[in-house]
Amino acid sequence: MIKKLILPALLLSLSMVNAQGKKSKSYELASPEGKNKIQFELVNSSPKYTVSHGKTVVITPSDMGFLLKNNDDFSSNFEIVKVENSTFDETWEQVWGEKKKIRNHYNQMVVKLQQKNKEKRQLEIQFRAFDDGIAFRYVYPRQGTKDSIFIMDEKTTFNLKEEGKAWWIPAYRENRYEYLYQNSTINAIDTVHTPLTIESKSGLKLSFHEANLIDYASTTLVNNTGTQLKTDLVPWADGVKVRVKDSFTSSWRTIQIGEKSGDLVDSYLILNLNEPNKLGKIDYFKPYKYLGIWWGMHIGKYTFWESDKQGATTKNAFEYLDFTAKEGFHHMLIEGWNKGWTPAWYENHMHMFSFTKCADNFDIDKVVEYGKQKGVELIGYHETGSNLINYLKEIDEGFAMYKRLGIHTVKIGHVGSKLNMKEWHHGQFGVNYFRYVLKKAAEYDLAVFYHEPIKDTGERRTYPNMLAREAARGQEYNAWSEGNPPNHVTILPFTRLLSGPMDYTPGVLDVEIKQGYPGKRIHGTTAQQLALYVVFYSPIQMLADLPENYAGNPSFQFLKDVPTDWQDTKVLNAEIGEYITTVRKDENSADWYLGSITNEKARDLEISLSFLDANATYEAQIYADAEGTDETHNPSAVAISKKTVKASDVLKLHLGGAGGTAIRFKKL
């Protein structure tokens, strides 16, 4: 049942003494249970805010406002016109997701400001206090002028009270978000992408991000001094940060606050700050797992382009479809099916891909028809090469072809340092492009997952045809680079995955990649690959390995069983970059699934099964690192066992170095 409640919220007006010794009026907003508080005041006519969690100050007085074109200061000379406050409480249901029912409960304070000069320009700042964090955004209303607005800088700062450990990836680099996370003190970070995760000296876990990013530049954060983080909006090629006609609404600036590492994963603040579902029930999509002609290209067995090792041939497609159907799966991806692929396809260049013409030796109509006979639907694939001029000329024709063929999902890639070799993927241009394509796809009954995208800010709530995206170093880096180190997968749940589902492409059982490039491998065990299906949430999960590595492998059974749509999710234990144990309840059965992974350190964990139904008995189907197994010692060995358990039991898990455990709790 969905409940919605809007009531006046408690808002305290306090008399404060600012740094200049002058009294000023301060407004305080507390979250529903009082866990988090925001204070707002004008200091010398400039807006400032602070944030606290319980008795701990998180953010000391910090700047707000903008610098507009021609050095026009829109961050001072304000007076408060009005302060409005309210409470909101609802429980809403996801069309698909990691948790079916989500409570959206916050107190809100809206501060309406006006400059004291003759123009009397207005600015509205909306604050929301949740028990799992805080958020605020700016609204610049239409003000009787039709002049365009050019934002040259957003002055928002986050003055952290304490030093701490930060996990971050650098911004403004060639490979977008695809970098290994660094761990440093706050005062040593570079200009970084969000989500930015920090563990403060007091032990609080903080994630800085943004939500509901529409027609605005995405946020990066820069450390200029001490523990201050400043917003650095990603610019257009000409240096302007945001250009709009006569009004704008920024994305929400968000701080998720937890006392335990797992609290960040259990937070749905980002989703709650997005608008409700605009598409209704999308009958053309239900969460699924898929195989594909993909990993073979990354390990060098096949090529993306037309050659004697071409991966996307009708013959290969039929063989993959046979295997997919035989093993009980219903979706398959084929990359390289179209004209335009060359050995230099990934280099920065305005590549000219076709989105309707098949490569030599591939017939998409025949492949789709054969798949239908086998009960397997093809997943569409568009690699744009970041040449959006070319792509947008053909997008309707390409999407219409997929609709004619009965294809309902499309993967869209954007390899290239910049869009059209000119604009950042995460500037206002990219933000608008990715939202445009998402809406366009909905017109053709297509669900989308992006690679080389703009980061996720929760729009899957509004447009549930937005399935997943990459926006981090995924599995393919293990195929042809030095690879992702063991701690990479134990950092992602507390950083990148806080923004939304990731198409990481797990499921490589041959972790030593025996058919691949010499010296390249996955820096983890096979049991860890299984556990990633529970730890890393996505409504679509690839079974990335080659069919021959699945055939006859007992561990493949877990990949057949594990769902991709969940009724509930809980983090049982976790430390950022060290380990995490997650359990999820299947949306379509009474079964629970557990995934536990560790970094390079072997661990012994005790797991309370109190999340299970107290009145039921379960068969625990356990896939664990075999005795003596770790990243470098027999990493493919998986010990499979069964055990009858109840909610009152405690399970002992042993995870080898870079290892994991995956368990299905089948209700008896």
Side-chain angles (χ1 to χ4, degrees):
M1 181 179 180
I2 297 177
K3 298 178 180 178
K4 187 178 292 186
L5 180 66
I6 304 176
L7 295 170
L10 177 63
L11 181 69
L12 297 178
S13 177
L14 307 171
S15 182
M16 304 290 290
V17 178
N18 62 35
Q20 287 71 37
K22 298 179 181 179
K23 285 188 176 181
S24 63
K25 202 171 188 181
S26 175
Y27 298 87
E28 183 177 277
L29 178 72
S31 65
E33 294 181 12
K35 294 181 180 180
N36 299 307
K37 293 180 181 177
I38 306 167
Q39 278 192 3
F40 174 84
E41 64 177 322
L42 291 180
V43 177
N44 292 332
S45 302
S46 296
K48 307 277 185 181
Y49 76 99
T50 63
V51 178
S52 59
H53 176 79
K55 295 182 179 180
T56 303
V57 175
V58 178
I59 304 293
T60 60
S62 298
D63 296 337
M64 310 185 86
F66 299 90
L67 180 68
L68 306 180
K69 196 174 182 180
N70 298 322
N71 210 30
D72 181 1
D73 184 9
F74 197 53
S75 65
S76 62
N77 198 28
F78 283 111
E79 60 183 354
I80 296 174
V81 175
K82 191 175 184 181
V83 177
E84 299 174 331
N85 51 288
S86 59
T87 290
F88 186 83
D89 190 4
E90 70 170 356
T91 298
W92 59 278
E93 290 191 2
Q94 295 201 81
V95 175
W96 48 262
E98 61 275 65
K99 188 182 181 75
K100 192 66 175 177
K101 294 183 179 181
I102 295 178
R103 189 179 185 189
N104 184 15
H105 191 194
Y106 60 82
N107 290 336
Q108 177 168 279
M109 174 172 68
V110 178
V111 180
K112 297 186 177 182
L113 304 173
Q114 182 173 280
Q115 285 191 310
K116 293 184 282 187
N117 52 24
K118 63 179 181 179
E119 288 84 8
K120 296 189 181 299
R121 288 181 300 183
Q122 298 174 347
L123 179 66
E124 184 176 298
I125 307 176
Q126 300 174 352
F127 295 93
R128 290 183 184 177
F130 300 80
D131 287 317
D132 55 344
I134 66 96
F136 61 88
R137 69 177 176 183
Y138 302 96
V139 177
Y140 184 95
R142 289 182 175 85
Q143 308 194 32
T145 176
K146 294 185 178 180
D147 293 342
S148 294
I149 302 165
F150 297 89
I151 297 176
M152 306 306 295
D153 188 25
E154 183 182 319
K155 294 192 173 185
T156 304
T157 60
F158 304 88
N159 295 329
L160 283 103
K161 173 71 172 177
E162 300 179 320
E163 252 296 356
K165 293 189 293 183
W167 286 265
W168 54 274
I169 53 174
Y172 303 114
R173 301 290 178 91
E174 183 175 359
N175 286 330
R176 305 158 304 275
Y177 304 102
E178 296 175 24
Y179 290 91
L180 294 175
Y181 280 86
Q182 300 184 45
N183 184 207
S184 72
T185 57
I186 298 168
N187 64 12
I189 71 172
D190 200 339
T191 302
V192 301
H193 284 299
T194 67
L196 165 67
T197 300
I198 292 173
E199 182 181 291
S200 67
K201 280 192 173 179
S202 62
L204 288 180
K205 312 302 190 291
L206 311 172
S207 174
F208 294 82
H209 191 41
E210 57 186 318
N212 201 19
L213 175 58
I214 303 172
D215 195 20
Y216 200 80
S218 77
T219 294
T220 68
L221 295 172
V222 60
N223 171 250
N224 290 322
T225 178
T227 55
Q228 182 190 85
L229 302 173
K230 184 191 174 299
T231 294
D232 183 28
L233 298 177
V234 177
W236 289 78
D238 63 3
V240 175
K241 301 297 181 71
V242 176
R243 42 167 48 94
V244 291
K245 188 175 181 182
D246 54 9
S247 66
F248 68 83
T249 300
S250 75
S251 53
W252 291 96
R253 282 73 192 87
T254 63
I255 310 176
Q256 289 160 280
I257 304 172
E259 296 178 2
K260 306 188 301 295
S261 298
D263 291 343
L264 295 179
V265 183
D266 288 333
S267 168
Y268 296 95
L269 181 148
I270 301 298
L271 279 179
N272 280 330
L273 288 163
N274 278 264
E275 298 300 315
N277 180 1
K278 290 185 177 181
L279 300 183
K281 187 177 181 182
I282 51 172
D283 295 328
Y284 53 86
F285 173 76
K286 291 182 180 178
Y288 60 76
K289 290 167 288 190
Y290 68 99
L291 289 92
I293 299 177
W294 177 81
W295 186 240
M297 280 85 102
H298 283 281
I299 65 174
K301 180 180 180 179
Y302 300 133
T303 64
F304 285 97
W305 54 92
E306 295 160 337
S307 74
D308 58 358
K309 295 199 303 179
Q310 182 178 341
T313 66
T314 301
K315 178 178 179 294
N316 286 344
F318 281 11
E319 291 175 0
Y320 268 72
L321 286 165
D322 286 341
F323 179 82
T324 300
K326 176 176 174 289
E327 299 299 338
F329 298 101
H330 302 285
H331 290 83
M332 196 180 95
L333 171 73
I334 302 175
E335 297 200 2
W337 68 267
N338 55 319
K339 283 288 187 181
W341 293 86
T342 72
W345 70 270
Y346 57 88
E347 295 177 1
N348 284 323
H349 184 69
M350 293 290 275
H351 299 282
M352 297 296 291
F353 290 98
S354 169
F355 303 98
T356 57
K357 296 176 183 176
C358 293
D360 294 346
N361 303 315
F362 188 85
D363 187 322
I364 195 169
D365 285 273
K366 286 184 179 179
V367 170
V368 167
E369 181 57 34
Y370 189 77
K372 287 179 180 178
Q373 294 171 18
K374 296 284 183 175
V376 179
E377 182 178 306
L378 219 61
I379 298 169
Y381 182 58
H382 286 171
E383 175 52 62
T384 68
S386 285
N387 181 352
L388 306 188
I389 296 171
N390 176 54
Y391 184 48
L392 293 177
K393 286 179 181 176
E394 293 193 33
I395 190 170
D396 280 288
E397 192 178 356
F399 283 0
M401 186 183 80
Y402 284 157
K403 185 164 187 177
R404 173 181 66 81
L405 292 169
I407 291 172
H408 294 102
T409 318
V410 57
K411 175 181 178 179
I412 308 176
H414 305 85
V415 169
S417 299
K418 292 185 177 180
L419 301 175
N420 293 332
M421 306 301 114
K422 181 180 180 182
E423 301 290 351
W424 294 108
H425 287 61
H426 32 285
Q428 187 183 13
F429 175 84
V431 168
N432 290 345
Y433 159 75
F434 285 106
R435 186 66 69 111
Y436 169 82
V437 172
L438 184 62
K439 292 180 180 179
K440 173 70 68 176
E443 295 174 13
Y444 291 89
D445 292 346
L446 277 169
V448 174
F449 56 112
Y450 288 130
H451 278 230
E452 300 83 33
I454 178 65
K455 64 192 176 186
D456 200 340
T457 60
E459 57 265 48
R460 62 187 166 116
R461 180 185 179 189
T462 312
Y463 297 98
N465 68 324
M466 179 67 254
L467 305 182
R469 60 194 82 197
E470 192 181 33
R473 274 177 67 123
Q475 182 88 282
E476 71 268 21
Y477 275 81
N478 292 315
W480 37 255
S481 77
E482 75 281 7
N484 299 328
N487 71 345
H488 184 62
V489 292
T490 60
I491 293 172
L492 286 175
F494 310 100
T495 50
R496 158 66 185 87
L497 284 160
L498 295 181
S499 69
M502 181 180 178
D503 189 39
Y504 185 81
T505 62
V508 176
L509 303 188
D510 174 26
V511 292
E512 296 174 281
I513 316 182
K514 298 181 181 68
Q515 293 189 57
Y517 298 114
K520 307 303 180 187
R521 57 153 300 165
I522 291 169
H523 298 287
T525 68
T526 294
Q528 185 186 79
Q529 285 285 304
L530 302 180
L532 291 179
Y533 284 84
V534 183
V535 176
F536 287 8
Y537 171 67
S538 178
I540 49 166
Q541 290 279 24
M542 189 176 200
L543 310 180
D545 212 342
L546 305 174
E548 55 263 41
N549 293 328
Y550 290 137
N553 190 325
S555 297
F556 191 39
Q557 186 60 47
F558 184 81
L559 302 188
K560 292 182 177 183
D561 293 335
V562 65
T564 54
D565 195 18
W566 306 99
Q567 186 182 98
D568 198 10
T569 290
K570 301 176 186 292
V571 176
L572 302 186
N573 56 47
E575 288 298 338
I576 303 169
E578 299 287 328
Y579 62 92
I580 180 173
T581 304
T582 304
V583 292
R584 304 188 195 268
K585 186 178 186 299
D586 181 15
E587 168 63 14
N588 299 305
S589 77
D591 297 350
W592 284 80
Y593 289 77
L594 176 146
S596 185
I597 62 174
T598 182
N599 59 10
E600 68 279 0
K601 300 175 185 176
R603 296 183 195 276
D604 292 293
L605 302 172
E606 289 193 349
I607 305 297
S608 167
L609 303 186
S610 57
F611 57 88
L612 297 174
D613 183 347
N615 300 314
T617 303
Y618 295 79
E619 180 182 75
Q621 301 169 359
I622 304 169
Y623 300 76
D625 295 314
E627 186 176 352
T629 290
D630 60 23
E631 177 192 353
T632 56
H633 298 89
N634 202 19
S636 296
V638 178
I640 303 175
S641 61
K642 295 180 180 179
K643 185 176 183 179
T644 301
V645 298
K646 296 182 295 185
S648 56
D649 291 337
V650 174
L651 270 188
K652 292 184 178 181
L653 307 182
H654 175 75
L655 281 58
T661 298
I663 304 175
R664 177 190 184 187
F665 295 96
K666 185 177 181 180
K667 193 172 184 179
L668 299 176

